[in-house]
Amino acid sequence: KMASDDLNAAARRIEQVAREVLAPLLELHFVAELRGRGAMLALELIDSRTGQHLSDLARAVAARCAQLGVVVLTAGTHGNVIRLLPPLVIGEELLREGLGVLVEVLMEQELS
C-alpha cells in the first residue's frame, strides 16, 4: 500500500506545501523555528526578546485551532512546540485550508 500510493512522495509534497504556507510565520517575534521532515513538522514558540518558552501560547493556539476544526498537538520539553502530522493521504486543498487556520490563529496572537 505504501508503495502503490507513493506515500513517500506524499510526505515530501506535504512538507513542501507546509513550508511554503508556514514560512511567513518565522517573521513573528515568537516563532523561533520551523523544523521537521516530511509530514511531521513543528513550530517552536519562544519569545525572541526574552528567550521564554511560550508553552501557554502553544496551548492557547492548539485550543483555538481545535475550536476552528483543526487538530494540532503541543509537544516539546517545555510544551512550547506546535506539532503537525497530517495524514499522508490528505489533499492539497484541505492541507492548505488547515495550515491557513494555523497561520490565522498565530497571526492573531502577534496582533494581541
Side-chain angles (χ1 to χ4, degrees), residues 43-62:
L43 290 164
E44 185 164 12
L45 308 183
I46 296 177
D47 189 318
S48 63
R49 299 170 292 209
T50 65
Q52 178 184 2
H53 295 97
L54 300 174
S55 54
D56 290 344
L57 178 59
R59 282 192 301 277
V61 166

Side-chain angles (χ1 to χ4, degrees), residues 27-84:
E27 300 300 317
L28 301 177
H29 80 275
F30 56 82
V31 177
E33 182 180 25
L34 170 59
R35 62 176 176 255
R37 289 192 68 169
M40 186 180 275
L41 298 168
L43 290 164
E44 185 164 12
L45 308 183
I46 296 177
D47 189 318
S48 63
R49 299 170 292 209
T50 65
Q52 178 184 2
H53 295 97
L54 300 174
S55 54
D56 290 344
L57 178 59
R59 282 192 301 277
V61 166
R64 182 67 181 135
C65 285
Q67 289 175 340
L68 297 172
V70 175
V71 177
V72 297
L73 303 173
T74 58
T77 303
H78 304 284
N80 65 315
V81 175
I82 300 290
R83 199 178 94 201
L84 309 174

Side-chain angles (χ1 to χ4, degrees), residues 13-34:
R13 177 188 54 81
I14 289 169
E15 179 181 4
Q16 180 181 18
V17 170
R19 287 188 180 278
E20 171 195 320
V21 172
L22 300 176
L25 294 175
L26 293 170
E27 300 300 317
L28 301 177
H29 80 275
F30 56 82
V31 177
E33 182 180 25
L34 170 59

